[in-house]
Amino acid sequence: MGYILKTKHSEILDLLKKFQDRKSGKIVESRKILRDSFYFLRRKDKRLVLRAFLNGSKTDMDFASLKMQYRWFPELMPLLKERWLSVQTKEVALFIIHNTSKDYVLSQKHLLIKTLGYYQYLAETAPWGEDEVVSPSLNLPDYALSRAEYCRVCFLYGIPIDKNEILKSLFLNIIEYLGYEDSPDWARWSMLPWGVRRTLDWRENFSPVLYLDFLLNQANVGLIIQTMRDFNMKKEMEFFWEWKENMIDSFQCYSSFDDVEDFCKYIVTKVRENFPPQYSYMLPKREKEEPVISEL
């Protein structure tokens, strides 16, 4: 059943009273009407709604911070900063980074990193330029950034990095995702694309090219490729695309396989067998356990 959007000041006050009264039994209903009506409200009523939402749940604070990005309400900033200290949410964190002073953001650095993660914090603050958070001399801890994220941060902050190291990082990501050569979960069913898993005749929706792209996506190479483009690494990009095309050419027709999991395992095996020679030494090999001989 639908409802009429309420935009009269008296009706908004009534809805806000129900929204803020925990015993009213109308919190969910009034929240929905206030959210859906927000665009049609006058500024003074928008301010009242935003103030109420800033005093609400994490989801309510997210809604308020999103709306405050489009219409500036400086009088609400003290309340948002006060609530931020006790209720950290991603939307509010992003609002603080983009709508408060640099000094305030740096004063909230640890809470912002805790909320957004170290990489997103660095990516969002990158437009300010290089500061004490990231510099060429800073030794980043291993747990702080993934390999792909570190390459990206180097681009965003102008940190010198060897282009060959970026290309090596790309193939290292692929190696780590493929795992060991005798790994039993190369092609476990849960790792297949959803469209393939739902299809009775897997050949209808299956494509070796798409599965290779799926593997590369799972290996998180997209961020590194984006960084390579931004660094204008034409030579290294051509090397990667040529390797990928050669991989695709090496796949035989999947009609000879009875089972999709067998074919997926075959693709991963081919990727390992045709890995670039200069990086193949990094392919991990699990040490085989010696058989235990029991004493008679």
Side-chain angles (χ1 to χ4, degrees):
M1 184 175 180
Y3 56 86
I4 299 173
L5 294 178
K6 300 176 183 291
T7 57
K8 291 183 179 180
H9 181 66
S10 59
E11 293 174 327
I12 295 302
L13 292 178
D14 182 59
L15 285 168
L16 286 172
K17 183 177 179 180
K18 293 176 181 177
F19 172 70
Q20 294 173 304
D21 183 2
R22 295 184 179 181
K23 297 181 181 179
S24 69
K26 300 288 185 179
I27 295 178
V28 175
E29 179 184 349
S30 57
R31 174 190 286 119
K32 180 173 177 56
I33 297 176
L34 288 169
R35 287 171 64 113
D36 292 347
S37 304
F38 187 83
Y39 176 81
F40 303 97
L41 302 181
R42 290 171 294 182
R43 183 177 175 86
K44 69 174 184 178
D45 288 333
K46 287 181 178 178
R47 182 168 55 248
L48 292 174
V49 172
L50 291 175
R51 184 178 294 278
F53 274 60
L54 285 175
N55 281 303
S57 65
K58 287 186 177 183
T59 303
D60 295 331
M61 285 190 68
D62 282 346
F63 174 83
S65 63
L66 281 172
K67 296 304 178 184
M68 286 173 67
Q69 289 188 42
Y70 298 104
R71 295 292 297 273
W72 185 237
F73 292 86
E75 64 273 25
L76 295 178
M77 286 302 297
L79 176 58
L80 183 140
K81 290 180 179 179
E82 177 187 337
R83 288 284 290 150
W84 155 252
L85 295 176
S86 58
V87 185
Q88 293 94 42
T89 71
K90 286 194 172 184
E91 292 298 340
V92 178
L94 292 172
F95 179 84
I96 286 176
I97 288 176
H98 296 297
N99 295 278
T100 60
S101 68
K102 179 179 178 180
D103 289 340
Y104 181 76
V105 170
L106 292 178
S107 73
Q108 300 294 309
K109 179 179 70 175
H110 296 296
L111 278 179
L112 291 168
I113 290 174
K114 179 182 175 182
T115 305
L116 295 173
Y118 193 50
Y119 169 70
Q120 188 173 7
Y121 171 81
L122 294 179
E124 296 295 336
T125 57
W128 297 343
E130 196 173 296
D131 58 25
E132 68 270 25
V133 178
V134 171
S135 69
S137 61
L138 180 64
N139 294 319
L140 294 172
D142 294 336
Y143 63 83
L145 296 170
S146 69
R147 188 179 295 110
E149 290 171 346
Y150 179 72
C151 291
R152 188 65 187 163
V153 166
C154 286
F155 169 76
L156 293 174
Y157 282 82
I159 300 174
I161 183 172
D162 190 287
K163 291 183 178 181
N164 290 326
E165 285 300 312
I166 298 177
L167 184 61
K168 181 180 177 181
S169 294
L170 186 149
F171 283 104
L172 270 173
N173 269 31
I174 298 173
I175 287 173
E176 289 179 355
Y177 179 71
L178 294 182
Y180 295 89
E181 62 180 7
D182 61 342
S183 175
D185 41 332
W186 271 353
R188 63 180 183 268
W189 193 245
S190 62
M191 287 171 56
L192 297 176
W194 181 243
V196 176
R197 281 184 279 151
R198 294 187 59 191
T199 306
L200 293 177
D201 186 357
W202 58 273
R203 294 175 182 82
E204 291 181 1
N205 289 336
F206 191 86
S207 163
V209 179
L210 291 178
Y211 187 67
L212 179 59
D213 286 338
F214 172 75
L215 290 176
L216 295 176
N217 182 61
Q218 294 295 105
N220 193 27
V221 301
L223 193 59
I224 300 180
I225 291 175
Q226 180 185 354
T227 303
M228 292 169 67
R229 288 197 184 102
D230 290 335
F231 270 126
N232 198 27
M233 297 170 55
K234 294 181 180 179
K235 179 181 176 182
E236 291 78 9
M237 288 288 294
E238 289 174 0
F239 177 86
F240 173 69
W241 295 126
E242 184 178 349
W243 172 79
K244 184 179 176 182
E245 289 177 4
N246 291 336
M247 282 303 317
I248 294 171
D249 291 341
S250 71
F251 297 151
Q252 68 186 58
C253 181
Y254 53 82
S255 60
S256 60
F257 290 83
D258 295 327
D259 185 82
V260 63
E261 290 190 64
D262 289 339
F263 186 60
C264 289
K265 183 175 180 180
Y266 160 78
I267 291 178
V268 176
T269 303
K270 295 296 288 183
V271 172
R272 294 181 59 88
E273 290 176 352
N274 293 278
F275 220 71
Q278 60 267 54
Y279 301 121
S280 59
Y281 73 93
M282 297 185 295
L283 287 168
K285 294 184 179 181
R286 185 174 292 152
E287 293 183 4
K288 299 191 178 191
E289 297 181 0
E290 295 291 334
V292 178
I293 302 176
S294 59
E295 296 182 2
L296 296 177

